């Protein structure tokens, strides 16, 4: 099929590339000329594992091209996917200005029998509104379908290629069948292709994100309770996760959720509900718990050092909102950085992919380090905010030698308390039991030290 994908961000670039990979002829369109220039120079404007090779191959084989010219890009298309950003506006509602701009600019250039598909996350009713708007501009009715995207940054290519389900919202059965044909190569393992109304499809995306955000805020609140009562959330998590009704996914406590989706989508759903005078107390609580959770590491740091952080230098590992991405939108690390800078602390930060994005926000207000051990050099403490794989087995002996004070504030519960304590660190985690007894047993038990010194990963990392 001939396809146009508007927006070459995290969703649009993955969508256009994966659709080209399955044999379609795809043009990716973006108003940001710098992004298109980067792609055309053989690089990517974002970090997403596995994507660069796919873009390069499909460009080489001439199934994938890019342009800033919207009219030319859509003129031949049988399917036009809209994957532009729908950020949070000042009121909390989704800001649809990008979507309307695209609709207005392309209406008169869309070929007959072309289907417009909204992939961006949009409030319920947006498909209907866009259909009305296009019809008015173009002077004829247009097919508009909803096809919400469920990919996860960091695993986006895999998620698109092997979706656990595809959801489409359509008014006409033929439109659904056309989209079923498009997605057939990605659903060869019989995962479902679900057809529903555009309103239900739009709602499905918000409900999915609301459920996931609720799980995170729930376990974070329980972790905070565990700390009050001397229980360990890791044991509790195991204790509940084996119940098939509960399960393990998304029940890891941490420093709060961030990213370009959960915070703005929860806010948009709350706003939608309020428009209909509906009560959404649970959603509001999820949001409040998350805002508070982003301050939990700050509080632990303040409690440890006292209010004066002026002469303290803190290292931060992990700036992206999650591992395997360079995306820092609403990242919990930013809340921590803001609070610590406001207290006068000096910061040495490291992230495998997100440093350039953070530097663009904070300039020379912090020291940016290419390597994790560089960040802890001379530091009075280390805060871990994102669970990158490479932070899981550091060489604590090397860190001890490099750091001025030996304290770790672990916002992702990466380590066994006994191991960290056994290496002579003070350790703060989220909802973990770090009592006198575990300190004592850590100093008696040399096991953790032996395991770490045999770990080839940490050896490599130091050299
Ligand atoms: N990022 C995710 O993990 C994810 C997952 C599922 C759904 N979504 C949804 O998908 C949508 C896109 O998200 P994203 O993270 O890819 O956003 P993004 O900010 O990375 O990319 C959006 C792109 O759209 C382009 N754009 C904006 N207005 C345009 C216009 N008028 N013409 C052409 N291009 C235009 C921007 O320049 C940008 O490159 C959002 O609605 C988001 O909620 C995102």
């Amino acid at each position: 099929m001939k396809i146009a994908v508007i927006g070459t961000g995290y969703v649009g670039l993955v969508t256009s590339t994966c659709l080209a990979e399955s044999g379609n002829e795809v043009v990716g369109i973006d108003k940001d000329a710098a992004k298109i220039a980067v792609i055309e120079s053989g690089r990517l404007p974002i970090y997403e594992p596995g994507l660069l090779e796919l873009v390069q191959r499909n460009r080489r084989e001439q199934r994938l091209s890019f342009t800033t010219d919207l009219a030319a890009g859509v003129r031949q298309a049988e399917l036009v996917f809209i994957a532009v950003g729908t950020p949070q506006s000042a009121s909390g509602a989704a800001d649809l200005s990008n979507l309307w701009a695209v609709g207005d600019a392309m209406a008169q250039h869309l070929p007959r029998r072309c289907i417009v598909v909204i992939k961006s996350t949009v409030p319920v009713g947006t498909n209907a509104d866009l259909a009305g708007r296009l019809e008015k501009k173009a002077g004829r009715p247009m097919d508009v379908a909803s096809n919400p995207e469920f990919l996860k940054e960091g695993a986006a290519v895999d998620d698109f290629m092997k979706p656990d389900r595809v959801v489409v919202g359509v008014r006409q059965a033929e439109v659904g069948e056309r989209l079923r044909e498009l997605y057939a190569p990605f659903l060869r393992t019989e995962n479902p292709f679900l057809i529903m109304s555009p309103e239900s499809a739009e709602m499905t995306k918000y409900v999915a994100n609301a459920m996931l955000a609720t799980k995170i805020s729930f376990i974070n609140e329980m972790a905070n309770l565990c700390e009050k009562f001397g229980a360990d959330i890791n044991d509790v998590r195991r204790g509940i996760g084996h119940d098939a009704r509960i399960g393990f996914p998304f029940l890891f406590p941490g420093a709060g959720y961030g990213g370009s989706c959960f915070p703005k989508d929860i806010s948009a759903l709350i706003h939608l509900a309020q428009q209909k005078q509906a009560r959404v107390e649970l959603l509001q609580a999820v949001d409040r718990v998350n805002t508070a959770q982003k301050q939990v590491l700050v509080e632990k740091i303040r409690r440890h050092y006292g209010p004066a952080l002026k002469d303290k230098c803190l290292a931060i590992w992990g700036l992206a909102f999650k591992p395997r991405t360079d995306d820092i939108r609403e990242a919990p690390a930013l809340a921590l950085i803001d609070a610590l800078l406001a207290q006068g602390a000096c910061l040495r930060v490291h992230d495998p992919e997100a440093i350039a994005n953070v530097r663009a926000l904070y300039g020379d207000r912090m020291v940016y380090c290419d390597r994790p051990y560089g960040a802890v050099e001379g530091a009075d403490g280390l805060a871990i905010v994102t669970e990158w794989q490479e932070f899981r087995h550091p060489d604590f002996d090397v860190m001890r030698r490099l750091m001025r004070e030996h304290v770790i504030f672990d916002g992702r519960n990466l380590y066994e308390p006994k191991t960290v304590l056994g290496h002579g660190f003070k350790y703060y985690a989220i909802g973990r039991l770090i009592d006198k007894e575990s300190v004592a047993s850590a100093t008696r038990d040399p096991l953790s030290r032996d395991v770490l010194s045999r770990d080839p990963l940490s050896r490599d990392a130091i050299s």
Side-chain angles (χ1 to χ4, degrees):
M1 293 184 201
K2 284 187 191 305
I3 297 172
V5 179
I6 306 170
T8 57
Y10 290 87
V11 168
L13 193 52
V14 171
T15 300
S16 53
T17 307
C18 293
L19 291 176
E21 178 71 5
S22 67
N24 300 290
E25 198 181 306
V26 185
V27 52
I29 305 165
D30 207 291
K31 66 173 182 182
D32 185 340
K35 269 192 183 177
I36 299 296
V38 168
I39 301 171
E40 291 194 321
S41 74
R43 292 170 297 131
L44 290 187
I46 55 166
Y47 171 74
E48 183 57 50
L51 186 58
L52 181 62
E53 296 83 329
L54 280 187
V55 172
Q56 287 175 340
R57 181 166 68 232
N58 284 283
R59 284 187 70 219
R60 228 179 8 251
E61 293 176 7
Q62 298 187 348
R63 286 190 298 264
L64 182 59
S65 60
F66 293 91
T67 181
T68 52
D69 188 338
L70 179 67
V74 301
R75 202 166 282 134
Q76 306 283 319
E78 298 162 71
L79 290 172
V80 173
F81 281 87
I82 302 179
V84 297
T86 50
Q88 187 172 329
S89 64
S91 70
D95 174 354
L96 297 180
S97 53
N98 290 327
L99 185 93
W100 302 140
V102 164
D104 292 349
M106 73 178 177
Q108 276 151 359
H109 304 283
L110 293 170
R112 278 183 189 280
R113 297 178 51 76
C114 158
I115 301 168
V116 175
V117 187
I118 302 184
K119 204 164 236 324
S120 302
T121 304
V122 293
V124 181
T126 305
N127 273 251
D129 290 347
L130 183 67
R133 207 157 159 143
L134 289 176
E135 181 170 353
K136 210 160 147 201
K137 284 251 163 202
R140 61 190 162 88
M142 302 248 181
D143 284 322
V144 177
S146 166
N147 173 215
E149 181 51 60
F150 300 100
L151 63 75
K152 302 181 284 297
E153 285 175 27
V157 172
D158 233 37
D159 285 348
F160 196 98
M161 293 293 199
K162 292 175 231 153
D164 42 28
R165 84 293 205 190
V166 172
V167 170
V168 299
V170 298
R171 303 246 184 259
Q172 318 276 354
E174 312 88 81
V175 173
E177 289 316 306
R178 199 90 176 99
L179 290 171
R180 189 197 296 278
E181 207 184 307
L182 177 76
Y183 277 108
F186 306 105
L187 293 170
R188 291 167 59 86
T189 50
E190 303 298 327
N191 282 352
F193 180 83
L194 303 169
I195 300 185
M196 54 189 78
S197 72
E199 288 72 21
S200 298
E202 291 166 332
M203 195 69 181
T204 298
K205 176 63 193 176
Y206 281 114
V207 173
N209 278 355
M211 180 72 211
L212 295 170
T214 301
K215 286 181 94 171
I216 297 175
S217 278
F218 171 78
I219 201 71
N220 282 339
E221 190 160 273
M222 295 306 114
N224 297 340
L225 268 186
C226 281
E227 283 183 17
K228 298 267 179 236
F229 289 98
D232 188 320
I233 191 66
N234 213 29
D235 290 335
V236 173
R237 196 180 61 80
R238 285 202 296 262
I240 62 170
H242 288 286
D243 184 329
R245 294 168 301 177
I246 297 173
F248 285 102
F250 259 71
L251 287 178
F252 291 92
Y257 60 74
S260 65
C261 292
F262 291 175
K264 77 156 172 73
D265 290 349
I266 302 309
S267 164
L269 191 50
I270 291 171
H271 198 269
L272 265 183
Q274 286 169 342
Q275 280 179 337
K276 299 276 183 201
Q277 285 83 44
R279 286 158 62 124
V280 278
E281 286 164 30
L282 183 60
L283 287 180
Q284 286 167 326
V286 166
D287 187 43
R288 274 199 307 273
V289 167
N290 193 57
T291 303
Q293 195 68 17
K294 285 183 172 177
Q295 296 303 316
V296 160
L297 275 189
V298 179
E299 281 156 24
K300 286 178 196 282
I301 289 170
R302 275 203 204 115
R303 235 176 289 135
H304 178 83
Y305 297 107
L309 289 177
K310 270 207 162 39
D311 54 344
K312 297 292 171 197
C313 178
L314 287 159
I316 300 180
W317 284 0
L319 307 171
F321 86 92
K322 65 190 267 195
R324 293 166 67 84
T325 183
D326 61 348
D327 196 343
I328 58 165
R329 289 178 281 188
E330 302 292 327
L334 305 188
L336 178 66
I337 289 171
D338 288 340
L340 296 180
L341 286 178
Q343 305 276 307
C346 120
L347 300 180
R348 299 175 62 82
V349 302
H350 167 77
D351 187 281
E353 294 295 337
I355 285 180
N357 287 338
V358 173
R359 196 196 295 269
L361 277 186
Y362 291 91
D364 58 7
R365 296 171 67 198
M366 305 183 289
V367 180
Y368 303 94
C369 304
D370 292 342
R371 309 193 51 211
Y373 293 118
V376 297
E377 221 173 314
D380 295 296
L382 164 67
I384 303 173
V385 196
T386 315
E387 66 277 29
W388 283 89
Q389 206 61 23
E390 56 223 82
F391 301 156
R392 287 181 189 273
H393 286 284
D395 189 321
F396 290 108
D397 289 335
V398 169
M399 289 167 63
R400 247 191 90 81
R401 280 203 298 279
L402 291 172
M403 291 173 72
R404 201 154 61 181
E405 190 183 332
H406 305 123
V407 52
I408 296 176
F409 304 90
D410 182 354
R412 295 292 165 190
N413 288 354
L414 294 190
Y415 312 125
E416 264 314 310
K418 205 167 70 171
T419 306
V420 190
L421 298 168
H423 284 271
F425 283 85
K426 194 157 175 57
Y427 185 53
Y428 297 89
I430 310 286
R432 301 296 316 265
L433 183 60
I434 306 171
D435 57 1
K436 286 201 186 89
E437 221 169 274
S438 34
V439 178
S441 90
T443 36
R444 276 197 307 272
D445 179 4
L447 178 72
S448 51
R449 182 175 290 240
D450 287 352
V451 170
L452 276 159
S453 61
R454 284 199 309 271
D455 183 342
L457 265 184
S458 49
R459 298 276 117 202
D460 285 353
I462 329 161
S463 61

